[in-house]
Amino acid sequence: MGVTTTRLPSSDRVDAAVRLRDALLGADFTADGLLELLGAPAYAALARSETVPALRATRGDSALDTLVRLFLLQQPVAHARVEHVLPVDVCLESGWLVAVGADEVTATVDIRPYGGPGGEDWFIVSDLGCSVGGAGGIGGDTGTADAGVVLGVGGASTTLAGLTVRTPVESALDLGTGSGIQALHLAQHATQVTATDLNPRALRIARLTLALSGAPEAELLEGSLFEPVADRTFDLVVSNPPFVISPGARLTYRDGGMGGDDLCRTLVQRAGDRLNEGGYAQFLANWQHTEGEDWTDRLRTWVPRGCDAWIVQREVQDVTQYAELWLRDAGDHRTDPVEYAARYDAWLDEFEARKTRAVGFGWITLRRTGSARPSVTVEEWPHPVEQPLGTTVRAHFDRQDYLRDHDDAALLAGHFRLADEVVQEQVGLPGAEDPEHVVLRQHRGMRRATQVDTVGAGFAGVCDGSLSAGRIIDAIAQLLGEDQVLLRDRTPAQIRLLVEQGFLLPVGTDV
């Protein structure tokens, strides 16, 4: 399943990748080209690791048929057929293809078209059978996955790519780069990209991903966590780490080799010292829900000093669901039933020893501010969101700055407007004079919903930036016959919440 080590010198390797990229684009081996060739049903089936529809759709002899069979379906293809499409000698010398028998070649890597955020034609390289939707799934048809496999693009990697703040920066670090997808995204807005991985094969594959996608070369360093970069600091750090909480370190791409959620905790706690002022660190992570401990308290202890944090739990699984998920991921369900049961038992032993009753999955974003009053938000939000969320993440921290710098008196003096695409919903019995609940709902970003009282609903409804919050509250008090002073005392808390969650935006600031 491993990728053959490239034997060409560095300069020749880059030239070979450029020639291969030109050949792939010339054959329309792109995300749009695939959809047109395969059709929507076969394209969707391939994403489910079902290859029969795609095999049927590529029975022709076009260049695109050839490339799909070679790189996506991992089928041997006649040498004579491939040489009309690719620079075969270069691909053989580079190790991307190998000869099979007297007259066929087969791929040693999965090369998959990937559409960039600006419509770019990118290519993500992974080990055979390790691309999401790959022909064999993780581990192929032979059973469990090899220890050092390099995965392609999956739901976790695209989630992190969508979360990342995309403002231009001087320096960015992709920690645990894998196939290089995060480094590829970073190369679009960072002057210098550094990518690290414990697995040397991953670094070779990441280099090919970048070259095939026409991206600038990154600094590729081998090692664990922050060790390869020593004491250097960055404007942006991203990581889709080996976050799986497992009873061992079988698979490099997912098992961190530390007990419980210690790897994720260590990564987050050390990130603060690796950030420049104003810099962001963004991670995917798993964390334990243990007996006698609130998971939000656990996560708060991870936040390094001098950093604001926004931690969102997206999903929770009980320990049996979690163990079954990752046993299937490694292909263990295809092994001997006795062996499978033993592995399952080992996972449950690990959780029992650590008093773990469930595992949470989510996003962690840090921003270095050096503030003596850090803002730490830990919340659960399992509902659908609108990706990409990079601008939403940045706006969240901008609003924390605003709220930190404005006391209640300053809030009342401030001007606000209702965020775009916020609607009001009234919930109550049919025919009732007044609703039981009034809910504000976002249709962008996090797509939050929050319940407000009559004052909150009225306040939000007239916020267009023209009047100060205090004047609006005074008008509402007069309309409802309430005491203006009392209403001014209790309303700032509601304004603060609506600003924090992005329903109201301060006017006259950069928030």
Side-chain angles (χ1 to χ4, degrees):
M1 185 179 295
V3 57
T4 303
T5 303
T6 301
R7 293 179 291 274
L8 293 174
S10 178
S11 59
D12 292 339
R13 211 160 47 222
V14 173
D15 180 65
V18 170
R19 292 180 62 185
L20 179 55
R21 172 176 170 80
D22 290 343
L24 297 177
L25 293 177
D28 201 21
F29 188 64
T30 63
D32 290 341
L34 283 183
L35 181 59
E36 184 175 351
L37 172 69
L38 300 179
Y43 190 87
L46 188 61
R48 301 191 299 271
S49 297
E50 296 291 347
T51 60
V52 172
L55 286 167
R56 292 173 61 86
T58 55
R59 289 178 291 191
D61 58 2
S62 72
L64 186 53
D65 288 319
T66 299
L67 292 176
V68 172
R69 282 185 164 258
L70 190 65
F71 288 121
L72 299 189
L73 303 178
Q74 286 104 50
Q75 299 292 306
V77 180
H79 187 288
R81 181 175 171 181
V82 176
E83 67 182 1
H84 291 295
V85 184
L86 297 174
V88 175
D89 291 344
V90 170
C91 292
L92 288 170
E93 189 176 0
S94 301
W96 304 329
L97 300 178
V98 293
V100 179
D103 59 358
E104 289 185 320
V105 296
T106 188
T108 63
V109 290
D110 182 300
I111 300 178
R112 192 157 299 252
Y114 179 85
E120 302 91 347
D121 289 316
W122 290 346
F123 299 97
I124 309 301
V125 184
S126 66
D127 275 326
L128 295 180
C130 291
S131 177
V132 173
I138 305 303
D141 297 323
T142 59
T144 58
D146 292 338
V149 297
V150 179
L151 300 190
V153 178
S157 52
T158 55
T159 293
L160 179 58
L163 285 173
T164 302
V165 176
R166 296 297 174 192
T167 51
V169 294
E170 286 295 320
S171 59
L173 171 65
D174 175 15
L175 194 152
T177 189
S179 62
I181 176 62
Q182 306 304 329
L184 182 55
H185 279 280
L186 292 174
Q188 309 308 300
H189 64 103
T191 303
Q192 173 63 49
V193 176
T194 300
T196 70
D197 206 288
L198 185 64
N199 182 0
R201 177 187 294 158
L203 297 177
R204 294 195 294 270
I205 285 182
R207 178 177 284 111
L208 182 54
T209 288
L210 292 168
L212 282 183
S213 300
E217 288 193 69
E219 178 187 31
L220 302 175
L221 303 176
E222 182 179 342
S224 176
L225 298 179
F226 290 104
E227 292 174 3
V229 297
D231 295 329
R232 293 164 56 186
T233 57
F234 301 86
D235 300 316
L236 176 61
V237 176
V238 299
S239 183
N240 177 16
F243 52 64
V244 176
I245 300 172
S246 60
R250 288 175 56 205
L251 304 175
T252 303
Y253 73 86
R254 73 170 202 193
D255 301 321
M258 297 185 185
D261 53 18
D262 283 354
L263 182 133
C264 290
R265 175 185 56 80
T266 301
L267 178 62
V268 174
Q269 289 180 335
R270 293 181 181 175
D273 292 333
R274 297 294 177 269
L275 289 177
N276 295 323
E277 193 70 16
Y280 289 89
Q282 299 186 259
F283 313 104
L284 302 184
N286 279 185
W287 43 78
Q288 298 170 156
H289 287 225
T290 58
E291 294 178 13
E293 180 184 33
D294 188 290
W295 70 271
T296 63
D297 293 338
R298 183 183 191 85
L299 271 294
R300 288 179 186 278
T301 67
W302 290 13
V303 178
R305 181 174 299 179
C307 289
D308 288 351
W310 185 19
I311 301 173
V312 182
Q313 180 167 273
R314 295 288 291 159
E315 184 179 0
V316 180
Q317 290 186 321
D318 68 47
V319 292
T320 60
Q321 292 173 311
Y322 190 81
E324 290 162 14
L325 169 67
W326 295 109
L327 287 166
R328 288 194 301 271
D329 169 80
D332 291 321
H333 61 300
R334 295 194 291 263
T335 63
D336 177 75
V338 174
E339 182 179 350
Y340 173 80
R343 291 194 185 280
Y344 198 152
D345 211 31
W347 282 74
L348 297 186
D349 283 344
E350 174 77 4
F351 287 133
E352 183 177 349
R354 295 183 176 278
K355 298 182 179 181
T356 302
R357 54 182 175 81
V359 177
F361 169 82
W363 319 324
I364 298 177
T365 299
L366 307 175
R367 187 189 57 166
R368 186 164 186 82
T369 65
S371 173
R373 295 184 294 119
S375 165
V376 178
T377 301
V378 184
E379 62 176 321
E380 184 168 21
W381 189 253
H383 310 293
V385 299
E386 180 192 44
Q387 284 277 32
L389 276 170
T391 56
T392 299
V393 171
R394 183 183 180 189
H396 168 88
F397 286 96
D398 289 342
R399 293 195 303 272
Q400 303 315 305
D401 284 343
Y402 176 87
L403 292 172
R404 182 162 40 213
D405 295 339
H406 289 73
D407 59 16
D408 286 357
L411 283 183
L412 292 176
H415 293 237
F416 303 90
R417 69 173 180 85
L418 193 65
D420 295 336
E421 297 193 40
V422 172
V423 298
Q424 177 178 303
E425 299 175 357
Q426 297 184 351
V427 181
L429 294 174
E433 183 176 348
D434 296 313
E436 295 180 15
H437 304 292
V438 178
V439 175
L440 299 181
R441 187 178 301 277
Q442 301 168 350
H443 285 278
R444 304 298 302 272
M446 291 293 286
R447 293 177 174 166
R448 295 185 185 277
T450 190
Q451 185 175 328
V452 292
D453 59 18
T454 302
V455 173
F459 182 88
V462 299
C463 276
D464 61 3
S466 60
L467 297 176
S468 70
R471 290 188 61 185
I472 294 174
I473 291 172
D474 291 343
I476 292 175
Q478 186 174 10
L479 182 65
L480 298 179
E482 294 199 25
D483 185 282
Q484 290 184 355
V485 175
L486 293 178
L487 201 58
R488 276 176 170 260
D489 284 343
R490 66 180 176 88
T491 303
Q494 193 164 189
I495 297 174
R496 193 171 293 276
L497 177 64
L498 292 176
V499 172
E500 180 180 3
Q501 295 189 345
F503 290 94
L504 292 179
L505 305 179
V507 173
T509 70
D510 293 331
V511 177

